Amino acid sequence: MKIAIIGAGYVGLVSGACFSEFGVEVTCVDKDEERIRGLRDGICPIYEPGLDNLICSNTVSGRLRFSVDLKSAVADADIVFIAVGTPSRRGDGYADLTFVYSAAAEIAEALDGYTVVVTKSTVPVGTGREIKRIVYEIADEDTIDVVSNPEFLREGAAINDFMHPDRVVIGAETERALMMLRELYRPLFLSDTPIVETDLETAELIKYAANTFLATKITFINEFADLCERIGANIQDVSKGIGLDGRIGGKFLHAGPGYGGSCFPKDTLALVKTAESANSPVRIVETVVDINEKRKINMAHKIIGACGGSVSEKTLAVLGLTFKPNTDDMRDSPSLAIIPELQAKGVANVRAYDPQGMKEAMNLFQNVEFCSGPYEAMVDADALIILTEWNEFRSLDIGRVRSLLRSPVIVDLRNIYDPINMKDAGFVYFSIGRAPILQPGS
Ligand code: UGA
């Protein structure tokens, strides 16, 4: 089987590399010539653990190719995936489908024989139907079928998520298209991955339902974390206590500074808009969006409180800038709201370090000093702020941290340290949903 993937971004590259690993012949197509040239030379444009090796080995074996020539890649393919970007449209929050629709039209013009066109990008409900309308204006109905096959990959764990998914969702309307997709995913059928076969609209909605549900779960636990701080309870025990209930499940119950990334903020907003347009509002999700936005600013105020009520003239060491560990992705990262708010409130210096995000962060922040390591960031800082739970921040040399900081204040927005240990090490330690343990006299 041969497939083409339109869009060599995050979803396209991970899917392309993994399908080729299954033994399928894959061509990843992108308009960005520099990106394609780089990929041919083995340069992976995104940071995702394991992806560069997978691209390399499958390129060498000849199963994975990169091209700017959509026409020949599509003409050759049995299945074409649309994996182009769907950014939030500026101003109104709707998903911008310009790239999806123009890719669909180009595919319809280029196909040669029966082809299945599959959306992998996260697209609002109704997009598949519109794609059908577009392609049937150009190509015969018996030469093309449209399928929705949303992806559920997490950045930082995408290869594993692709190879061992909880489920595969296929929204198809003809048996012929369904058979092709079943064949493509056969390696996963063999390992008993559940496959949900449904119609186009339902498949599209499943993706939004999953992301908005997870965003809601995080927001729920974040609000409980605030409540814990007020009443002296411990959010981690609350998470464990409810997560052990099989009906709730323990995942996505880590309280933090609010969800970020390229998916949850965009998808929650897009779903709210879809529901509004359908005259069937999803008030829970509307509230989640609102709470999460405010939360990031509230985190800046929590930091200010930990610094004695003012950050004016102070130096803060910030560890972690990306929206989560194991990625270089800065999109909608809480740091993008927290740091500017601290600056607006008069912080003198922000000394930051992130293992992968600094290249991108340099374009996004002003007046931030980027440091070469976590300890460099701490020199003479008035407080240490942990924004992202990179593994390398989990076991810092606490004695060294103590000696570098001007005052022993730590604000840990990811709960990666134990409050009692921190107190014993002489810190005034603030975390999320666990009452601060103050030093006597502080
Ligand atoms: C998310 C979904 O988890 C994937 O299933 C989905 O395929 C993807 O969006 C997408 O739509 O493409 P991702 O954005 O890579 O994946 O990251 P997550 O691991 O889900 O984390 C999202 C945000 O939630 C991060 O800011 C993270 O710090 C936060 N989070 C996550 C918490 O605050 N607490 C948690 O318990 C879990």
Side-chain angles (χ1 to χ4, degrees), residues 151-153 155 207 211 252 254 260 263 323-324 414:
E151 57 81 21
F152 302 96
L153 312 173
E155 290 189 18
K207 169 68 190 192
N211 273 6
F252 280 67
H254 299 291
C263 306
F323 79 100
K324 68 173 194 176
R414 298 291 185 166

Side-chain angles (χ1 to χ4, degrees), residues 76-204:
D76 253 9
D78 305 299
I79 301 177
V80 182
F81 283 90
I82 300 180
V84 297
T86 55
S88 275
R89 209 158 59 187
R90 209 165 286 175
D92 65 7
Y94 282 93
D96 182 345
L97 298 171
T98 318
F99 301 126
V100 173
Y101 292 145
S102 63
E106 278 186 71
I107 293 164
E109 272 154 17
L111 56 87
D112 181 9
Y114 178 74
T115 309
V116 183
V117 176
V118 187
T119 48
K120 220 167 195 8
S121 305
T122 304
V123 289
V125 181
T127 305
R129 196 69 48 206
E130 177 62 11
I131 292 177
K132 273 181 95 165
R133 197 192 58 73
I134 293 171
V135 297
Y136 290 152
E137 273 183 6
I138 302 166
D140 276 352
E141 293 205 8
D142 54 358
T143 59
I144 189 163
D145 270 318
V146 176
V147 167
S148 164
N149 171 221
E151 57 81 21
F152 302 96
L153 312 173
R154 285 164 305 160
E155 290 189 18
I159 308 287
N160 187 60
D161 284 353
F162 193 98
M163 297 294 188
H164 307 282
D166 290 334
R167 79 305 205 182
V168 170
V169 174
I170 303 174
E173 295 190 320
T174 67
E175 192 56 27
R176 193 175 182 191
L178 194 55
M179 297 278 279
M180 301 269 283
L181 267 287
R182 279 195 200 130
E183 177 57 20
L184 179 65
Y185 280 108
R186 200 165 42 84
L188 297 181
F189 275 108
L190 299 178
S191 60
D192 281 342
T193 298
I195 311 275
V196 180
E197 297 175 354
T198 178
D199 56 75
L200 274 176
E201 280 77 8
T202 307
E204 289 168 346

Side-chain angles (χ1 to χ4, degrees), residues 211-226:
N211 273 6
T212 53
F213 186 86
L214 292 170
T216 304
K217 203 173 176 189
I218 295 167
T219 306
F220 177 91
I221 209 67
N222 283 344
E223 284 212 306
F224 266 71
D226 293 348

Side-chain angles (χ1 to χ4, degrees), residues 114-429:
Y114 178 74
T115 309
V116 183
V117 176
V118 187
T119 48
K120 220 167 195 8
S121 305
T122 304
V123 289
V125 181
T127 305
R129 196 69 48 206
E130 177 62 11
I131 292 177
K132 273 181 95 165
R133 197 192 58 73
I134 293 171
V135 297
Y136 290 152
E137 273 183 6
I138 302 166
D140 276 352
E141 293 205 8
D142 54 358
T143 59
I144 189 163
D145 270 318
V146 176
V147 167
S148 164
N149 171 221
E151 57 81 21
F152 302 96
L153 312 173
R154 285 164 305 160
E155 290 189 18
I159 308 287
N160 187 60
D161 284 353
F162 193 98
M163 297 294 188
H164 307 282
D166 290 334
R167 79 305 205 182
V168 170
V169 174
I170 303 174
E173 295 190 320
T174 67
E175 192 56 27
R176 193 175 182 191
L178 194 55
M179 297 278 279
M180 301 269 283
L181 267 287
R182 279 195 200 130
E183 177 57 20
L184 179 65
Y185 280 108
R186 200 165 42 84
L188 297 181
F189 275 108
L190 299 178
S191 60
D192 281 342
T193 298
I195 311 275
V196 180
E197 297 175 354
T198 178
D199 56 75
L200 274 176
E201 280 77 8
T202 307
E204 289 168 346
L205 190 59
I206 287 172
K207 169 68 190 192
Y208 280 96
N211 273 6
T212 53
F213 186 86
L214 292 170
T216 304
K217 203 173 176 189
I218 295 167
T219 306
F220 177 91
I221 209 67
N222 283 344
E223 284 212 306
F224 266 71
D226 293 348
L227 180 60
C228 283
E229 286 176 27
R230 294 293 163 116
I231 63 176
N234 182 320
I235 193 61
Q236 279 177 296
D237 292 340
V238 172
S239 293
K240 194 170 173 190
I242 62 171
L244 286 168
D245 184 327
R247 293 169 301 175
I248 297 173
K251 290 183 181 160
F252 280 67
L253 282 179
H254 299 291
Y259 60 77
S262 63
C263 306
F264 288 173
K266 174 169 72 72
D267 294 350
T268 44
L269 211 55
L271 184 79
V272 165
K273 297 293 170 186
T274 302
E276 269 173 15
S277 304
N279 214 6
S280 180
V282 278
R283 299 237 166 72
I284 290 182
V285 186
E286 287 171 20
T287 308
V288 164
V289 169
D290 184 45
I291 294 171
N292 196 62
E293 275 314 295
K294 292 189 176 125
R295 182 167 188 82
K296 297 177 196 171
I297 298 298
N298 291 345
M299 289 297 114
H301 292 272
K302 182 183 176 85
I303 293 166
I304 294 169
C307 292
S310 167
V311 284
S312 180
E313 301 307 311
K314 292 198 169 147
T315 296
L316 299 181
V318 173
L319 297 191
L321 297 169
T322 50
F323 79 100
K324 68 173 194 176
N326 295 326
T327 176
D328 57 357
D329 199 338
M330 288 291 303
R331 282 176 286 178
D332 260 307
S333 175
S335 67
L336 294 171
I338 296 171
I339 292 176
E341 179 67 10
L342 292 168
Q343 290 172 322
K345 292 289 180 283
V347 75
N349 296 306
V350 173
R351 295 170 57 79
Y353 170 72
D354 187 281
Q356 293 292 337
M358 291 204 291
K359 192 164 160 241
E360 183 59 22
M362 282 173 193
N363 303 318
L364 300 170
F365 292 109
Q366 280 168 355
N367 301 322
V368 167
E369 202 179 326
F370 293 97
C371 302
S372 54
Y375 299 106
E376 286 72 10
M378 292 174 210
V379 176
D380 282 338
D382 295 288
L384 168 62
I385 319 296
I386 301 173
L387 292 189
T388 317
E389 69 278 32
W390 284 91
N391 274 343
E392 68 178 88
F393 303 153
R394 289 178 186 272
S395 51
L396 293 168
D397 175 347
I398 290 305
R400 194 168 165 201
V401 174
R402 180 75 182 82
S403 70
L404 289 170
L405 290 178
R406 202 183 293 163
S407 26
V409 176
I410 297 183
V411 186
D412 173 4
L413 298 185
R414 298 291 185 166
N415 288 354
I416 60 176
Y417 283 98
D418 179 69
I420 305 284
N421 292 348
M422 286 293 114
K423 175 176 181 268
D424 292 347
F427 288 100
V428 183
Y429 174 78

